[in-house]
Amino acid sequence: MGAVSEKKGKGERKVVESYKIVYEGADGELVEKKSRFIAQIRPVKSEEEALAFVEETRKKYWDARHNCYAYIIKGEGATPTARCSDDGEPSQTAGKPMLDVLMGEELIDVCAVVTRYFGGTLLGTGGLVRAYSGAVKEGLANAQILEKKQGVRMEVTTDYNGVGKIQYLAAQEGIDTLDSQYTDKVVFIFLVPEEQEESFQAKLVESTNGRAVIRTDGEVYYGKCGGKLILL
């Protein structure tokens, strides 16, 4: 789940990850044969946080018959942790379809809870599967989702003669500028996708004939939503 590429350098392989997350949660709702299905989608960072959200929802909708859930947590291992619950609905008709939607969207660190108010008519297994998965899709359609990527902050110091070349190169390579400072020298702070770090640095050296001072300042996670750069 999520994209993984390998970056080679100095005899090492470095894994560069990217995966989709819910940046801003949202709700969605649908009605099927008078049963009301209320979906809530939230970003979470741990199983504890996911379960706390489930419990919060149960208290909020205390009079509902079912509060089914599904969540996927990245965690520390190579394989994400995925859990779901039918909460009293027939087996495999609620939690699993909800989880399938989250996995189909390749989302990580997300929890979905669907609350059902029974409308008096049985939906059957197929109807329940469609309703629970459809409610999650409604919630996701209202949420802000972005791809979370790894990058590095790169500080580039140059004299004024190198400014134009560096700005042109950054634009050509699709590199975002986080900050720029103009004094007796010029300092740019770039956000460089981790897989482009070595190639961009080499091109900076070449374009400035080695006169620019380049320093990397640790990893950073980022994403883009509606064309806007978001540091995570």
Side-chain angles (χ1 to χ4, degrees):
M1 189 174 295
V4 177
S5 63
E6 290 182 349
K7 187 183 81 171
K8 299 178 181 179
K10 299 180 182 179
E12 296 181 350
R13 281 184 173 183
K14 186 166 187 179
V15 176
V16 179
E17 293 182 298
S18 67
Y19 48 90
K20 291 198 292 184
I21 64 169
V22 174
Y23 179 61
E24 286 188 6
D27 300 344
E29 184 175 332
L30 60 81
V31 177
E32 185 71 25
K33 294 183 179 178
K34 297 184 180 179
S35 278
R36 184 183 176 200
F37 295 84
I38 306 166
Q40 297 180 92
I41 312 294
R42 297 291 184 272
V44 291
K45 294 184 179 179
S46 67
E47 286 194 79
E48 292 78 12
E49 191 174 335
L51 293 172
F53 173 58
V54 173
E55 189 59 31
E56 175 187 317
T57 302
R58 284 178 175 152
K59 291 178 180 177
K60 179 179 179 180
Y61 296 110
W62 58 270
D63 57 340
R65 179 169 289 193
H66 306 283
N67 287 284
C68 306
Y69 66 83
Y71 61 81
I72 304 172
I73 308 296
K74 182 178 184 297
E76 300 298 327
T79 304
T81 298
R83 300 278 188 271
C84 62
S85 169
D86 295 311
D87 193 31
E89 293 281 27
S91 180
Q92 306 288 300
T93 63
K96 181 63 164 56
M98 293 167 60
L99 184 62
D100 286 343
V101 173
L102 299 180
M103 295 181 73
E105 293 295 326
E106 299 184 329
L107 288 164
I108 297 288
D109 291 345
V110 60
C111 180
V113 183
V114 175
T115 301
R116 180 191 182 188
Y117 283 95
F118 185 55
T121 302
L122 296 176
L123 302 183
T125 56
L128 287 172
V129 168
R130 288 190 296 272
Y132 277 101
S133 60
V136 173
K137 290 175 183 176
E138 287 288 328
L140 290 176
N142 297 326
Q144 285 194 351
I145 295 172
L146 56 81
E147 186 175 6
K148 184 176 180 178
K149 299 180 180 181
Q150 285 178 275
V152 294
R153 293 178 187 268
M154 185 176 290
E155 181 184 284
V156 181
T157 304
T158 181
D159 57 28
Y160 279 81
N161 293 326
V163 169
K165 294 176 182 178
I166 291 172
Q167 289 177 323
Y168 175 78
L169 179 61
Q172 192 175 49
E173 296 295 312
I175 304 298
D176 290 290
T177 304
L178 297 178
D179 192 19
S180 55
Q181 302 164 14
Y182 292 81
T183 55
D184 56 325
K185 294 183 179 180
V186 181
V187 179
F188 293 106
I189 307 294
F190 294 115
L191 174 58
V192 184
E194 200 151 6
E195 66 273 14
Q196 291 180 251
E197 179 187 354
E198 292 178 5
S199 63
F200 183 58
Q201 185 164 331
K203 289 174 182 178
L204 282 171
V205 171
E206 182 181 357
S207 67
T208 62
N209 294 319
R211 289 196 293 269
V213 177
I214 303 166
R215 184 175 69 89
T216 56
D217 186 24
E219 291 184 344
V220 63
Y221 286 94
Y222 71 98
K224 290 188 177 180
C225 190
K228 180 182 177 182
L229 178 66
I230 299 170
L231 299 181
L232 301 169

